[in-house]
Amino acid sequence: MKKFLVFLFAVFAMLAAYAAELDGLIDARAELWKMSGQTVMKNYPDLFVWMDQGRTRLRYNVRENRAPLTLFGRRVLEVIIDVKDEKICELNVSVYNRGDAGEMPKKTFDALLDAVENRLAGFAGRENVPQTQNVSVEGSRIRSKVWRTDAYDVVMRWSYTRSVPEFLAIDFFPAGGAPKSLREGLKTTVATSELDKRLINDEDGSRYMTVPMVDQGAKGYCVAATVERILRYYGSNIDQHMIAKLAESDAQRGTNINKIVEVLEGNQIKLGIRYRKLYQYSDLDTYSDFKGMINSYNTIARRMKLKKIDFNDYVYIVDRTKYLSYGALMKSLDFKVFRELRKKDKGDNRDFLEAVKENIDEGIPLCWSTFIFPGVGGSGGSEFGMHMRIITGYNTKTGEIIYSDSWGAEHEKKVMKPEDAWGITVNLIALEPRRRNAK
């Protein structure tokens, strides 16, 4: 056992020795804002990747990169670097977040919080007293301390949920660049009248917008990442970990759609948005709904000479109560048949496509909650599931839907046939800036 421990400590020591230090960037102080993204890529080889085709965001994530990256001698979980006009304009460090690292004991987190605050105080100058800024959203308190120096504005953010640590993050801005307050940082800053000017119209008929990319990583944060991307498109400084806290997201199970709707509807003024529900698929809310759907499905399957579904194969009984194996049943469906079934809702289908066109023409991206069928819409998995993505445009010539998944650069602009898009649609939500006209 002792030999094993000695070996283990040696491995950790070796890893620490090869850890790249983010301190080099921070120590550059005002010179940081003159650096390009390519300089970061060169100085930290194989650690950062571009999140978008426009090369405006760099990302390091510990779950996707075995090579450690440290700040103040502590390994960090994620680093996002924003680039504008080929120069770094913002740097965000996730010291801890529940989604990537799992739960941390409060005592351990508090010690980490104290250590990071002490290092930031030393970095900013002991005589520089930080400003405390807190905000409550949906009954949850988000806390922060802000140091303002000649080279940087530094914001340390953290939060708990019922004494369970949620996240600890550090944001670096050019001097004077941090939001005036934590509350103001959550709000959108653009007006709806400005949005249509951001639309891109290609010769092939594609009409779309480029929404900032956020990579949800391996965790079930598609909802949190989607909402962050749209709010950042409108100028908010919110991130997916803050949204995950508010919506009570789970890294494995994801986010309850009803909870995120409750959060968005209930905090429209605080977030600077207007929430509009455009469509909700409610034909599968009850046991009877599923049974009726399968009867209609089988009628279409018989006509298409495809396999029918025996509903009873997916029903089980516990204490004389019938339950449905929802995931197994949906996975067994042939999407070609299910798509034909959805097309029977001609009015809803038409309204869905019109809602997409109307909102995109106004420059408003849409939260799009969908079914995931194996092999449909770029899904390479073998399991049925639920997912939220963003509709960013449509093709004026073909009617194709242009959308984006929160999985990095390769998923920034994707295309789906309108009939397939309607076939997988569960919810369609519009979030738009609260302010109508530019100042």
Side-chain angles (χ1 to χ4, degrees):
M1 182 65 180
K2 288 183 178 179
K3 289 183 178 180
F4 173 74
L5 289 175
V6 170
F7 170 75
L8 198 60
F9 285 132
V11 170
F12 287 153
M14 181 177 66
L15 286 174
Y18 286 97
E21 296 180 350
L22 199 61
D23 304 57
L25 279 182
I26 308 305
D27 289 340
R29 296 193 175 263
E31 293 301 310
L32 171 63
W33 314 118
K34 300 176 183 178
M35 292 185 190
S36 67
Q38 287 302 118
T39 299
V40 175
M41 296 282 280
K42 181 180 179 180
N43 292 344
Y44 296 87
D46 303 323
L47 287 178
F48 286 89
V49 296
W50 289 108
M51 295 173 65
D52 57 354
Q53 299 294 335
R55 296 194 168 190
T56 65
R57 305 199 89 191
L58 281 167
R59 175 177 181 259
Y60 163 87
N61 186 273
V62 69
R63 294 180 68 170
E64 297 165 24
N65 198 318
R66 291 184 178 181
L69 183 61
T70 66
L71 177 64
F72 304 147
R74 298 175 182 276
R75 187 166 185 175
V76 300
L77 298 183
E78 186 172 59
V79 178
I80 305 294
I81 298 176
D82 285 304
V83 178
K84 184 177 181 180
D85 298 328
E86 299 187 357
K87 296 292 186 290
I88 296 173
C89 62
E90 187 176 334
L91 188 152
N92 312 105
V93 181
S94 176
V95 180
Y96 165 78
N97 70 76
R98 179 172 53 83
D100 282 317
E103 289 192 6
M104 177 183 286
K106 184 177 183 300
K107 186 176 181 180
T108 305
F109 181 81
D110 288 344
L112 176 62
L113 180 63
D114 288 343
V116 171
E117 181 179 351
N118 186 56
R119 291 300 297 267
L120 288 176
F123 175 78
R126 297 292 175 184
E127 71 288 349
N128 190 338
V129 179
Q131 179 184 3
T132 299
Q133 299 178 351
N134 302 322
V135 63
S136 292
V137 182
E138 197 66 18
S140 296
R141 197 164 182 79
I142 300 169
R143 307 168 186 272
S144 74
K145 289 192 176 184
V146 183
W147 291 265
R148 301 185 188 278
T149 74
D150 292 339
Y152 298 118
D153 285 354
V154 184
V155 182
M156 184 179 76
R157 296 180 287 111
W158 73 96
S159 188
Y160 304 87
T161 297
R162 293 180 293 275
S163 298
V164 176
E166 285 285 344
F167 63 81
L168 170 58
I170 310 170
D171 306 323
F172 294 87
F173 301 88
K180 292 181 180 179
S181 69
L182 188 58
R183 180 185 295 274
E184 288 300 310
L186 299 182
K187 283 188 175 182
T188 62
T189 60
V190 302
T192 52
S193 61
E194 303 173 85
L195 296 179
D196 60 348
K197 302 178 182 65
R198 299 182 176 186
L199 285 171
I200 300 168
N201 292 282
D202 290 342
E203 291 184 1
D204 67 354
S206 296
R207 170 172 288 182
Y208 61 99
M209 63 206 75
T210 301
V211 179
M213 177 54 72
V214 172
D215 195 330
Q216 70 181 80
K219 52 194 178 293
Y221 276 19
C222 60
V223 172
T226 292
V227 173
E228 178 190 343
R229 294 180 66 189
I230 291 178
L231 293 191
R232 279 190 177 272
Y233 185 63
Y234 298 151
S236 169
N237 204 47
I238 201 166
D239 69 25
Q240 63 178 316
H241 304 297
M242 298 170 76
I243 296 166
K245 170 190 166 53
L246 300 175
E248 300 174 5
S249 303
D250 183 271
Q252 281 71 48
R253 295 187 296 272
T255 306
N256 184 304
I257 187 68
N258 294 324
K259 181 61 181 176
I260 191 63
V261 166
E262 177 186 318
V263 169
L264 295 173
E265 270 192 308
N267 294 280
Q268 295 181 71
I269 294 177
K270 286 186 176 180
L271 296 175
I273 59 170
R274 296 181 189 276
Y275 166 93
R276 290 186 289 118
K277 181 174 74 174
L278 302 177
Y279 174 77
Q280 180 177 0
Y281 183 46
S282 56
D283 291 359
L284 298 179
D285 287 348
T286 67
Y287 180 91
S288 297
D289 288 341
F290 271 97
K291 196 168 185 177
M293 182 272 285
I294 291 301
N295 287 337
S296 299
Y297 175 96
N298 284 337
T299 298
I300 296 172
R302 183 168 55 250
R303 187 176 69 239
M304 296 177 69
K305 297 182 180 180
L306 294 170
K307 182 181 178 181
K308 295 189 293 183
I309 301 296
D310 188 338
F311 182 78
N312 292 324
D313 287 347
Y314 303 94
V315 176
Y316 61 98
I317 300 174
V318 178
D319 295 332
R320 299 183 181 181
T321 301
K322 290 183 178 180
Y323 294 91
L324 182 66
S325 296
Y326 169 75
L329 172 63
M330 295 299 290
K331 180 183 176 181
S332 70
L333 302 182
D334 187 315
F335 180 68
K336 294 188 295 295
V337 178
F338 186 72
R339 180 180 57 199
E340 290 302 308
L341 176 63
R342 292 297 304 275
K343 285 166 68 175
K344 291 175 65 177
D345 299 326
K346 294 182 180 180
D348 285 345
N349 188 354
R350 181 186 62 249
D351 291 346
F352 165 75
L353 295 175
E354 287 180 356
V356 169
K357 292 179 180 179
E358 288 174 5
N359 282 278
I360 294 302
D361 287 348
E362 293 177 5
I364 300 170
L366 300 172
C367 299
W368 185 32
S369 174
T370 71
F371 293 125
I372 293 292
F373 286 95
V376 178
S379 171
S382 60
E383 297 297 322
F384 170 83
M386 304 284 285
H387 181 52
M388 184 172 277
R389 52 217 339 173
I390 304 175
I391 293 182
T392 58
Y394 69 96
N395 190 295
T396 59
K397 296 179 181 178
T398 66
E400 291 174 312
I401 300 297
I402 300 172
Y403 68 101
S404 176
D405 288 308
S406 302
W407 296 330
E410 295 180 1
H411 304 276
E412 196 171 14
K413 182 173 178 280
K414 302 159 86 170
V415 175
M416 191 181 299
K417 294 178 181 177
E419 58 268 29
D420 287 351
W422 169 243
I424 64 174
T425 294
V426 181
N427 292 281
L428 191 66
I429 296 169
L431 301 177
E432 61 183 274
R434 195 164 188 83
R435 187 153 53 88
R436 299 294 191 189
N437 298 305
K439 293 181 179 178

